[in-house]
Amino acid sequence: MSPPPLSRRERIHAETVREIRGIALRQVDEGGLATLSLNAIAKELGMSGPALYRYFASRDELLGALHTDIYAQLVTAVREAAEASTGRSPSAHLAAYASAYRGWALKHPRRYALLFGGRAEDYKDPAEAIAEIHEGMLLLLRLLADIAGDRPVTRPPDALDRQLTAWSRRRAGNASFPPHILRLGVLFWTRLHGIVSLELSSVFKDMGLDGGALLDDEVKRIIDAAGGGH
């Protein structure tokens, strides 16, 4: 059963929220988190500062909405890249995922920095943003599970395995992954993020290194670790 249509007031409210988020995202693209200003947004929309708080109660609430939007954009980019490689090998899907992740971050460096940059100690992403993060991780875990297949793992679980399993039970919904896939997924995402972050910081440029080549090598190592290179 479809939900009832929005009232005129609800439609106007929803459109204003979209405008606010769009202006805020443009501010981030132009100057990063430091330029995010509710007063500037209100001025552009022709409303008072206090009036804007009818839509977002605080700067952190607006920041959480931006995190949700940007995580969704990143997840969409990697999902579409993996789906576009349909018919190719699971290893090729993983390579497409990684390449799309890096490509999106290089295209939107300030959005990427907003996701993983410095935050206030008491800041927490909203549930919607966390859901987007885990959707991206679930896609990565499925790709790694496809590469690994039914390869048995005889290593006894350790403390990290138990932590990862507990996380998976809280966040993965009905999906179930063995500890070695969870470990590979988190380690690969950590390395992927590290490569991208150092590249965005121009560290590799100063070293004369190609971030894309480093990422390709990391993908090959993860594929071998998952058993896909044998």
Side-chain angles (χ1 to χ4, degrees):
M1 183 176 179
S2 59
L6 297 177
S7 68
R8 183 173 181 276
R9 176 177 293 182
E10 289 170 333
R11 291 196 303 272
I12 292 173
H13 185 277
E15 179 58 32
T16 303
V17 167
R18 283 193 292 271
E19 287 187 69
I20 293 170
R21 291 164 89 141
I23 295 170
L25 191 57
R26 191 184 73 232
Q27 289 181 345
V28 169
D29 285 337
E30 291 172 350
L33 178 59
T35 63
L36 183 61
S37 167
L38 271 67
N39 287 333
I41 294 171
K43 184 177 180 180
E44 183 169 338
L45 289 173
M47 65 173 66
S48 67
L52 194 69
Y53 287 93
R54 293 202 300 265
Y55 302 93
F56 290 95
S58 66
R59 187 172 182 269
D60 276 355
E61 185 175 313
L62 176 56
L63 183 59
L66 290 184
H67 281 183
T68 301
D69 292 344
I70 297 171
Y71 278 128
Q73 293 167 12
L74 176 55
V75 172
T76 296
V78 297
R79 181 191 301 112
E80 289 180 348
E83 290 174 350
S85 63
T86 299
R88 299 161 64 189
S89 69
S91 297
H93 295 174
L94 181 66
Y97 177 109
S99 178
Y101 186 105
R102 172 177 176 263
W104 186 92
L106 295 180
K107 185 177 180 180
H108 305 287
R110 285 176 171 154
R111 298 185 193 187
Y112 191 81
L114 184 69
L115 295 182
F116 302 110
R119 306 181 179 196
E121 186 175 345
D122 58 349
Y123 174 81
K124 292 184 179 180
D125 272 325
E128 295 84 359
I130 294 173
E132 293 291 348
I133 298 169
H134 287 98
E135 182 61 30
M137 180 58 74
L138 284 174
L139 173 58
L140 175 58
L141 292 172
R142 293 186 188 107
L143 294 176
L144 290 168
D146 287 343
I147 293 170
D150 297 326
R151 185 172 66 95
V153 176
T154 57
R155 177 181 57 80
D158 59 15
L160 178 58
D161 287 332
R162 289 189 287 271
Q163 292 171 14
L164 290 167
T165 298
W167 164 78
S168 178
R169 287 171 179 167
R170 291 195 309 270
R171 298 296 184 185
N174 294 326
S176 178
F177 301 96
H180 71 284
I181 294 298
L182 297 173
R183 183 185 291 251
L184 280 178
V186 172
L187 287 177
F188 180 62
W189 175 77
T190 301
R191 294 168 186 172
L192 175 57
H193 171 65
I195 288 172
V196 168
S197 297
L198 289 171
E199 186 171 13
L200 289 175
S201 300
S202 297
V203 172
F204 293 153
K205 181 179 179 180
D206 293 340
M207 297 173 67
L209 299 177
D210 179 358
L214 286 167
L215 182 58
D216 289 344
D217 185 72
E218 187 59 46
V219 169
K220 291 174 184 176
R221 291 175 183 274
I222 287 292
I223 290 170
D224 286 342
H230 303 287

